[in-house]
């Protein structure tokens, strides 16, 4: 599966592989830092890997990318002491351009005044 460049939240919600929970989770973790990958895995692979998903999603992960171990067919990533190969043919890697502004509509609900009657 491809690497996906995200310019806005609409790119995430229009991605047919993502449900709204996955899209909101990715919006909250993007952009990932330079040494990390934000990626989506299908259920069967997510359950097989000893990685902890982020947010409310069971499919979205952020892990340290070990670029010197990357191959043509797989990324090697680490979370804590767990290091695993993530096949490029299955994972979807998400990244942003430097000027992207990824804001989920859900983020306003997390603000101190979000959702209050005083707004």
């Amino acid at each position: 599966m491809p690497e996906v460049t995200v310019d806005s939240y609409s790119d995430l919600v229009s991605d047919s592989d993502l449900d709204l929970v996955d899209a909101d989770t990715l919006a909250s973790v993007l952009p990932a830092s330079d040494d990390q990958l934000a990626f989506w895995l299908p259920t069967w692979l997510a359950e097989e890997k000893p990685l902890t998903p982020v947010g409310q999603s069971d499919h979205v992960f952020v892990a340290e990318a070990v670029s010197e171990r990357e191959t043509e067919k797989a990324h090697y990533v680490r979370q804590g002491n767990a290091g695993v190969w993530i096949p490029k043919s299955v994972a979807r890697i998400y990244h942003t351009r430097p000027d992207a502004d990824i804001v989920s509509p859900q983020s306003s609900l997390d603000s101190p005044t979000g959702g209050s009657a005083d707004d």
Side-chain angles (χ1 to χ4, degrees), residues 6 9-10 15 23-24 35 52 54 57 69 71-72 89 91 118:
V6 179
Y9 181 72
S10 64
D15 187 325
D24 287 341
D35 63 338
T52 303
V54 294
S57 175
R69 293 195 65 188
T71 69
E72 183 178 317
S89 62
D118 298 332

Side-chain angles (χ1 to χ4, degrees), residues 19-99:
D19 62 23
L20 283 177
V21 171
D22 296 338
D24 287 341
T25 301
L26 279 162
S28 72
V29 299
L30 289 174
S33 65
D34 290 341
D35 63 338
Q36 293 188 324
L37 289 180
F39 56 97
W40 176 93
L41 297 176
T43 301
W44 65 269
L45 186 57
E47 291 174 349
E48 178 183 298
K49 299 297 181 183
L51 299 173
T52 303
V54 294
Q56 299 296 313
S57 175
D58 293 330
H59 301 275
V60 176
F61 300 83
V62 175
E64 176 188 359
V66 184
S67 57
E68 59 272 6
R69 293 195 65 188
E70 182 178 342
T71 69
E72 183 178 317
K73 296 187 181 225
H75 293 281
Y76 188 79
V77 299
R78 276 193 297 241
Q79 270 187 349
N81 292 332
V84 297
W85 292 99
I86 302 298
K88 292 179 179 180
S89 62
V90 179
R92 292 178 65 88
I93 309 299
Y94 290 84
H95 55 87
T96 60
R97 290 189 172 87
D99 60 341

